Amino acid sequence: MAEHTVKAFDEDITRLRGLIGEMGGLAEVAIQESLDAMVRGDEELAAKVVERDKKLDDLEMQVDKLAVRLIALRAPMADDLREVIAALKISGVVERIGDYSKNIAKRVGEIEGRSRFEPLTLLPAMGELASEMVHDVLTAYAARDPELAKEVIAADEKVDAFYNSIFRNLVSYMVENPATISSAAQLLFVARNIERIGDHATNVAEMVHFAATGTYPDDETD
């Protein structure tokens, strides 16, 4: 009976990890496609990003139900409990990353004069950095790799620096081209959403580190 219980618990943990991995894959695609749609003005692709966000919401609910069932029925301890709690928190954060991508997609139709709007070309590079953070942190989660998690946390500084640069660029562009203020304001919103994706990837990295070691990265420097 004990052996059966352990096997069932391991299967549930594997299922939990699989759901988180599926959510992460969808979130990565959403980031990339929302920015592709923004650059090309592809409202059809943007609509698909918005629609597919429902799948992320559904997966988050599945993670919630499975995690609660695991805690209630298996009463996990120590490492196992940390893993379940981390998965519960991570799923919520990844769902928020999907929401930020959806927000970007919803702005696709709000950009005028796209072909001559120079600041628009800066956003994909920033988005790629944020997407790499999401990819790496989910790799760290799957491998229970605290060192890779810390690398993700360090990478957030690059995304923040990119945001500050884009912010200055867009403000200057608005001053020089007053007719573009409305579109530039939309791009500032997009840049802010990308910056938040980086912040959320950092939050996940901290949880991954905790699940793997029992400590948060900041604790190691105290």
Side-chain angles (χ1 to χ4, degrees):
M1 179 65 72
E3 183 178 347
H4 173 76
T5 301
V6 170
K7 182 180 179 182
F9 179 80
D10 288 344
E11 289 174 351
D12 283 340
I13 286 292
T14 299
R15 168 81 174 140
L16 201 58
R17 290 179 177 177
L19 288 170
I20 295 291
E22 187 177 355
M23 288 187 73
L26 287 173
E28 285 184 59
V29 171
I31 295 167
Q32 187 60 57
E33 290 190 345
S34 65
L35 288 167
D36 286 347
M38 176 64 65
V39 171
R40 301 201 308 261
D42 189 338
E43 295 188 48
E44 183 177 344
L45 178 58
K48 289 179 180 177
V49 172
V50 173
E51 178 63 27
R52 280 202 304 267
D53 186 63
K54 295 176 183 177
K55 178 62 175 176
L56 268 175
D57 295 341
D58 178 63
L59 287 169
E60 184 195 12
M61 285 192 290
Q62 291 183 48
V63 170
D64 287 353
K65 290 178 181 177
L66 180 55
V68 169
R69 185 166 69 84
L70 272 168
I71 293 171
L73 298 182
R74 311 295 185 196
M77 303 292 288
D79 290 359
D80 291 334
L81 180 59
R82 289 203 309 269
E83 169 119 14
V84 175
I85 291 174
L88 193 58
K89 291 182 177 180
I90 288 169
S91 68
V93 176
V94 175
E95 190 275 333
R96 286 295 296 141
I97 289 173
D99 285 344
Y100 287 123
S101 299
K102 179 176 67 175
N103 289 345
I104 292 170
K106 287 181 174 180
R107 295 302 188 277
V108 168
E110 304 297 323
I111 310 300
E112 299 177 358
R114 182 173 271 98
S115 62
R116 56 181 174 76
F117 207 76
E118 180 185 353
L120 187 61
T121 64
L122 303 173
L123 291 170
M126 182 184 178
E128 185 174 348
L129 281 175
S131 183
E132 286 175 1
M133 288 179 67
V134 173
H135 176 81
D136 288 348
V137 79
L138 290 163
T139 299
Y141 169 73
R144 294 178 66 89
D145 185 342
E147 294 307 312
L148 180 55
K150 287 197 288 188
E151 290 178 17
V152 172
I153 293 169
D156 191 46
E157 291 184 4
K158 296 179 182 178
V159 175
D160 290 343
F162 228 121
Y163 173 73
N164 291 333
S165 176
I166 288 175
F167 181 87
R168 291 193 297 269
N169 184 288
L170 284 170
V171 170
S172 296
Y173 200 84
M174 285 189 281
V175 170
E176 296 170 5
N177 305 274
T180 68
I181 287 177
S182 177
S183 293
Q186 296 294 337
L187 293 185
L188 279 174
F189 177 86
V190 170
R192 178 59 176 165
N193 275 265
I194 298 172
E195 192 267 340
R196 293 298 294 147
I197 288 171
D199 287 345
H200 277 59
T202 298
N203 292 340
V204 173
E206 291 173 349
M207 295 173 208
V208 169
H209 192 281
F210 175 77
T213 68
T215 64
Y216 289 98
D218 287 346
D219 296 339
E220 298 182 353
T221 60
D222 289 344

